[in-house]
Amino acid sequence: ARLSVVRLDPATSSWETLMQEKITIRLGENEFTTHRISEEAIGRGVLALQKLVEIAKRYHAGEIIAIATAALREAENREEFLAATQAWAGVEVRIVPGVEEARLIYLGVLSGIELGQRKGLFIDIGGGSTELIVGTQTRHLLLDSLKVGAIRMSNLYLEGITEPIPTALVEKIRMQVQRIAAHAIRDIRAEGFDVAYASSGTAMNLAQVAARMKSED
């Protein structure tokens, strides 16, 4: 769960980030096999939102906007979580569709880069889904959301595996990802792009792994 407290300036359509906070919840832990958010995960989620709301109020936030993504999109008991967060954290959480999540990711990454005349591919690997976007500096050209994520794939294929993952299983997972992503890859190739950007903690972890493999920072 990530919190950004920002001061908006309507006159200039700009904003100033006052603080940012992150709390790891793993809301989708085991959910992608049971299709239900566990009681433990609901408790962690509510507690995290309570803390984030307290921080926001310390900064005198006039409005708190909370959105949820893949874990709640697919949970059969999502209403239980929404009721709990409303009752205990005083927050109304809005569940966004995958395509809307992709659009928001595009806007978020775009706010920190300058594409110029180039066309960008944006990749965000989450716990339950991966969003893919192709866009320019002014508009998105392709939005997609795939049911592939770090927690989802771990739940489906890696439960109980503590030793190094067998090569055959790695290949099985790779083939499954390629099957799910086939239509998106086809559309992205047809649209084309000049530069790619990856966001999310998973992307950062992959970058660190790649750097260590090459003995680089």
Side-chain angles (χ1 to χ4, degrees), residues 4-9 14-19:
S4 288
V5 179
V6 298
R7 178 182 288 115
L8 305 175
D9 184 355
S14 63
W15 68 88
E16 174 191 2
T17 300
L18 303 180
M19 70 85 59

Side-chain angles (χ1 to χ4, degrees), residues 42 46 49 72 77-93 95:
I42 290 177
V46 170
L49 281 176
L72 282 182
N77 62 335
R78 57 182 171 271
E79 295 301 329
E80 180 182 345
F81 178 85
L82 296 177
T85 54
Q86 179 73 68
W88 295 100
V91 173
E92 182 178 346
V93 178
I95 302 173

Side-chain angles (χ1 to χ4, degrees), residues 88-186:
W88 295 100
V91 173
E92 182 178 346
V93 178
R94 179 168 63 95
I95 302 173
V96 297
V99 172
E100 173 64 3
E101 183 180 357
R103 188 185 72 86
L104 294 173
I105 288 166
Y106 161 73
L107 292 176
V109 176
L110 198 66
S111 69
I113 64 171
E114 181 59 50
L115 271 178
Q117 299 301 313
R118 297 176 299 172
K119 188 186 296 185
L121 167 65
F122 304 85
I123 306 167
D124 186 277
I125 306 172
S129 65
T130 292
E131 277 63 50
L132 301 167
I133 308 99
V134 175
T136 66
Q137 190 69 43
T138 56
R139 66 190 181 103
H140 56 76
L141 305 169
L142 181 152
L143 300 172
D144 208 339
S145 178
L146 309 181
K147 290 186 176 182
V148 176
I151 296 176
R152 182 193 297 271
M153 303 310 283
S154 295
N155 285 176
L156 294 177
Y157 295 100
L158 304 179
E159 287 297 309
I161 296 179
T162 55
E163 298 298 322
I165 303 171
T167 302
L169 180 55
V170 172
E171 189 57 30
K172 179 180 180 181
I173 297 172
R174 190 192 308 277
M175 294 298 294
Q176 176 69 351
V177 171
Q178 288 179 343
R179 184 188 66 80
I180 295 171
H183 74 278
I185 293 171
R186 182 178 62 249

